[in-house]
Amino acid sequence: MSEKEYIRSLFVHEDEILYSIYKGLEERELPQISVPPEIGKTLYLLVKMSGAKKICEIGALGGYSTIWLARAIPEDGQVLSLENRQAHADFAIENVEKAGLSSRVTFMVNDAMEILTDFVQKEEKFDFFFIDADKPNYINYLEKAIQLARPGTIITADNLLQSGRIFDLEDQGPSPTTVRQFNEKIATDPRLESILLPIGDGLGICRVK
């Protein structure tokens, strides 16, 4: 048994709704890139421990991570999930409804940077961010998240190891290149306290000072 299998078997229990998302993505010919179960559980615990009530998720896909996040907030909490593809949002809405969490989740279908810029203009504030969208925009999403944060807000980001591609400096593809810069940014930005956990494909966790 691998470390990943051990952790999942002991600490993570997916119910039928979460498990069905994998098959649903396949049937709809959507990408199988939901966060792994151990990342979902980690996000759930971070939300619970931080006491977050207002969450911004950047990238919904089938709503797998959305459900983990929504289950962690109180009944009067809210997850705003930004998704630029209608097909993804439609499937995510379906799964959130199955999970009985529609009252806690709002999906916004548009370019995430446009939505975040509008949030900044409206002086919105969030307790928790989860970034899991197009990697070349990660640094831009981070900057917007910091602008929308309160002291103590948690910012998380997935896929920060890029399946090991970040270690190959000859790999200058847009995703690993930007993620390398993102990792250096969260490690050194004086506005943040951060760590990169080597679970899943690498989960970054930042606290805004």
Side-chain angles (χ1 to χ4, degrees):
M1 179 182 289
S2 68
E3 292 179 2
K4 178 174 65 178
E5 291 169 335
Y6 176 78
I7 291 170
R8 289 181 181 178
S9 66
L10 192 59
F11 293 98
V12 187
H13 305 287
E14 294 177 295
D15 59 17
E16 185 177 343
I17 294 169
L18 288 170
Y19 193 75
S20 71
I21 293 176
Y22 305 119
K23 185 178 180 181
L25 290 170
E26 183 179 2
E27 290 173 346
R28 290 163 175 77
E29 298 183 347
L30 298 175
Q32 288 277 1
I33 53 174
S34 298
V35 301
E38 62 272 24
I39 294 291
K41 180 64 176 292
T42 301
L43 292 172
Y44 172 89
L45 287 172
L46 287 170
V47 172
K48 283 279 190 178
M49 289 187 288
S50 67
K53 294 180 65 176
K54 189 175 181 181
I55 298 174
C56 181
E57 176 185 49
I58 305 172
L61 188 56
Y64 184 90
S65 56
T66 317
I67 291 172
W68 279 106
L69 293 167
R71 285 177 171 170
I73 57 176
E75 289 187 10
D76 62 344
Q78 189 67 205
V79 177
L80 293 178
S81 185
L82 316 185
E83 174 57 57
N84 70 345
R85 298 187 181 183
Q86 190 65 54
H88 294 182
D90 290 342
F91 185 44
I93 290 169
E94 179 183 322
N95 290 316
V96 166
E97 288 177 349
K98 287 180 182 177
L101 295 166
S102 297
S103 64
R104 302 185 194 181
V105 180
T106 299
F107 290 96
M108 304 182 72
V109 184
N110 202 345
D111 178 80
M113 284 300 294
E114 290 185 16
I115 297 173
L116 293 169
T117 299
D118 184 57
F119 284 164
V120 171
Q121 292 174 347
K122 293 179 179 177
E123 299 184 347
E124 296 274 3
K125 295 295 177 183
F126 293 88
D127 307 315
F128 194 101
F129 288 86
F130 178 47
I131 303 171
D132 187 22
D134 53 311
K135 304 306 176 279
N137 259 321
Y138 259 38
I139 293 176
N140 296 328
Y141 295 146
L142 175 65
E143 187 58 40
K144 292 297 183 185
I146 294 172
Q147 293 175 32
L148 293 163
R150 306 180 177 94
T153 289
I154 304 298
I155 302 172
T156 57
D158 197 26
N159 304 119
L160 298 190
L161 294 178
Q162 288 287 288
S163 300
R165 292 179 66 188
I166 62 167
F167 307 122
D168 180 4
L169 298 184
E170 294 183 0
D171 187 342
Q172 293 296 312
S175 291
T177 297
T178 304
V179 170
R180 287 188 202 104
Q181 296 170 353
F182 180 92
N183 291 343
E184 292 174 7
K185 179 71 172 174
I186 64 172
T188 59
D189 193 303
R191 298 170 293 179
L192 303 173
E193 299 172 304
S194 309
I195 192 66
L196 170 53
L197 299 183
I199 60 172
D201 189 28
L203 180 69
I205 302 173
C206 313
R207 178 185 178 275
V208 178
K209 294 181 180 178

